[in-house]
Amino acid sequence: MSLTGWIAYLREQGAAGADVVRHLEADTERLERVAKRFERTGRPARREPVGIGSVAERVVEYFRPRLPTLASPVLLNLTASGPGPTRWATPCCSSGRSKPS
């Protein structure tokens, strides 16, 4: 069974694995982006405007559940919200999402 098949199976099992399903879906999305990057290898870079604040929100949301919480807790806070200043970046950095899920 593929990873997406397992995700669909776990989703059908109910709320007990909802947190796991959400993380697996995010990991699957990241794997798809990596695969697309490899597919574009050797092609000219394509750039588009990206809000730095939106990227920062995604980075914080990605790392927050992965940071230590018991022995040496790490607290990660983002004090500004919104898209913030815009810079040119490759689509792999923005992934086309305007807000974190």
Side-chain angles (χ1 to χ4, degrees):
M1 185 182 293
S2 69
L3 182 56
T4 54
W6 278 107
I7 291 170
Y9 174 77
L10 290 172
R11 191 179 304 118
E12 291 171 2
Q13 298 306 308
D19 195 41
V20 172
V21 169
R22 192 181 46 159
H23 286 290
L24 285 173
E25 287 173 330
D27 289 342
T28 302
E29 182 181 308
R30 279 188 289 280
L31 287 170
E32 288 173 359
R33 283 197 311 266
V34 169
K36 287 180 183 180
R37 283 183 218 150
F38 279 112
E39 181 181 303
R40 290 190 307 260
T41 300
R43 295 182 186 169
R46 185 173 51 121
R47 296 188 172 287
E48 61 187 40
V50 175
I52 301 297
S54 299
V55 174
E57 288 173 348
R58 289 187 54 232
V59 168
V60 168
E61 186 151 317
Y62 173 81
F63 279 106
R64 192 170 276 141
R66 291 163 175 82
L67 293 172
T69 57
L70 299 176
S72 298
V74 175
L75 182 61
L76 188 59
N77 288 320
L78 182 62
T79 56
S81 63
T86 302
R87 298 293 182 258
W88 287 92
T90 59
C92 67
C93 299
S94 64
S95 80
R97 292 189 342 180
S98 60
K99 63 180 179 178
S101 56

